[in-house]
Amino acid sequence: MNTKIFGILGILITISLIPLAYAQISIGEIAEQKSIEVTINSDGEVHVKHVVSSSNFPVDLKLIDGTVSNISVTNEQGIDELFSMNEDNVVLLQPSKEKLIIEYDLENVLTEIDKVWTWDFRYLQTTTFFIPQEIDLIHVNDRPVFLDDKKGISCHGCQMILEYSVGEPKKIEYVNWKNIEFVIEIRTFAETENFDFNKSNKEISFKINDANRFVTTIIPIELSSETYDVFLNNEKIFFHEYINNGTHVWINMKPDTTGEISIIGTTVISEPSNTVECGWWEWFLAFFGIGKC
């Protein structure tokens, strides 16, 4: 009887001490994670970093789904720690008085279709994503997220479809209104043509020759409305939320067919003016013929 008990303990200890083994069993509790960082580079390569709290007992850490390679486990001093991993990407970490840092590369998670990188991501822990530096606009569950000068996003209890493009073409169009030149930018991999701005009803229009491509139109606030309707071939379509960053409005859509896009403001905008408004004092002097306004 004692021989059997010692034999089982010997097997468990052997499994826990293998530096990198594909064990089928685990004896750890769930690891307490301090942070999870996912870094994506311009080539679609993914690197993951978990920071796990210290523990007096062995703990299990479930890695993010995908093909794991180049995994390492170190303490805060950068010293390698022993661990084991099973076929389900669960890592058994040994007791440690310090935080443990688990890093690895993750493959077969990002796919590139029509120049759009896509990741169907699910990991029910708060995860921070660092996006390639040259990207300032991503899509999360089809909603645009304008990064501006931010490095990335945090996703809480994370389940999302992440989409982004590298090197998305930017087409610049110029609108002259009351002798003031405005710049409108159209960002898309779709081919566009026949741009026009109708001054009478504040309508921006252009033709798209490719379907199911993200199209982002960036309009100066001075030339824009507060609310919009978007039409495709004269039929109103859903457009993804527009973003106001203080200087421009971003209107994003993904038309499911080709044709003419029309963006029409639904609130009145005033024409730009080069005149200076008079204060009450100037009006008072003008009333008595002393000044002008």
Side-chain angles (χ1 to χ4, degrees), residues 38-40 128-136 138 146-154:
V38 175
T39 302
I40 305 172
T128 300
F129 288 82
F130 294 101
I131 310 298
Q133 187 175 5
E134 63 269 30
I135 296 171
D136 59 2
I138 64 175
F146 179 53
L147 298 176
D148 199 6
D149 57 351
K150 301 177 183 65
K151 295 181 180 179
I153 62 170
S154 287

Side-chain angles (χ1 to χ4, degrees), residues 7-17 25-27 92:
I8 293 171
L9 289 175
I11 293 172
L12 293 178
I13 292 171
T14 301
I15 290 172
S16 67
L17 295 179
I25 60 177
S26 175
I27 60 173
L92 177 64

Side-chain angles (χ1 to χ4, degrees), residues 16-253:
S16 67
L17 295 179
I18 297 173
L20 180 57
Y22 291 96
Q24 295 295 325
I25 60 177
S26 175
I27 60 173
E29 298 180 356
I30 301 301
E32 178 187 350
Q33 300 196 60
K34 305 295 290 184
S35 65
I36 306 151
E37 296 179 355
V38 175
T39 302
I40 305 172
N41 68 17
S42 300
D43 296 323
E45 297 171 338
V46 178
H47 185 77
V48 183
K49 177 181 178 181
H50 301 254
V51 177
V52 171
S53 298
S54 60
S55 175
N56 294 323
F57 305 96
V59 293
D60 283 340
L61 174 66
K62 177 69 171 74
L63 306 183
I64 296 172
D65 288 338
T67 302
V68 174
S69 62
N70 303 320
I71 185 169
S72 67
V73 177
T74 61
N75 61 23
E76 294 176 272
Q77 311 305 317
I79 299 173
D80 289 338
E81 297 281 347
L82 295 174
F83 67 96
S84 60
M85 187 174 79
N86 68 17
E87 294 177 347
D88 295 322
N89 283 1
V90 176
V91 174
L92 177 64
L93 303 171
Q94 298 303 307
S96 174
K97 295 181 179 180
E98 300 182 43
K99 296 176 185 176
L100 295 179
I101 296 114
I102 300 87
E103 297 191 65
Y104 53 95
D105 295 326
L106 198 60
E107 301 172 8
N108 302 322
V109 291
L110 274 167
T111 56
E112 186 182 15
I113 302 174
D114 293 333
K115 301 181 181 179
V116 176
W117 290 96
T118 303
W119 189 352
D120 188 351
F121 182 88
R122 185 178 186 273
Y123 193 74
L124 301 182
Q125 298 280 344
T126 298
T127 306
T128 300
F129 288 82
F130 294 101
I131 310 298
Q133 187 175 5
E134 63 269 30
I135 296 171
D136 59 2
L137 180 68
I138 64 175
H139 294 84
V140 176
N141 297 332
D142 271 348
R143 290 177 173 269
V145 178
F146 179 53
L147 298 176
D148 199 6
D149 57 351
K150 301 177 183 65
K151 295 181 180 179
I153 62 170
S154 287
C155 183
H156 305 281
C158 195
Q159 184 170 0
M160 68 173 178
I161 303 295
L162 173 67
E163 296 174 285
Y164 66 90
S165 298
V166 178
E168 187 176 46
K170 302 177 182 180
K171 192 171 185 178
I172 302 299
E173 303 288 355
Y174 297 93
V175 169
N176 192 290
W177 191 27
K178 204 174 178 65
N179 297 323
I180 298 177
E181 187 173 69
F182 295 91
V183 174
I184 294 176
E185 183 178 310
I186 302 174
R187 299 171 53 158
T188 181
F189 279 106
E191 181 186 79
T192 65
E193 59 183 354
N194 301 338
F195 176 88
D196 186 53
F197 176 71
N198 189 319
K199 300 177 184 178
S200 62
N201 62 353
K202 310 175 292 296
E203 177 184 356
I204 296 169
S205 63
F206 52 90
K207 184 181 179 183
I208 58 168
N209 296 326
D210 300 286
N212 295 311
R213 297 290 185 94
F214 285 113
V215 179
T216 304
T217 306
I218 306 171
I219 309 170
I221 287 179
E222 295 176 78
L223 196 65
S224 63
S225 171
E226 294 181 2
T227 57
Y228 295 86
D229 284 329
V230 178
F231 297 84
L232 174 60
N233 298 327
N234 296 320
E235 292 187 9
K236 187 183 291 189
I237 63 169
F238 173 80
F239 65 95
H240 306 295
E241 288 184 347
Y242 60 82
I243 305 165
N244 186 327
N245 70 351
T247 60
H248 293 76
V249 172
W250 298 49
I251 299 176
N252 184 271
M253 67 204 78

Side-chain angles (χ1 to χ4, degrees), residues 272-289:
S273 173
N274 293 322
T275 61
V276 178
E277 294 185 3
C278 294
W280 71 269
W281 184 250
E282 287 86 356
W283 283 111
F284 179 80
L285 294 177
F287 180 79
F288 290 101

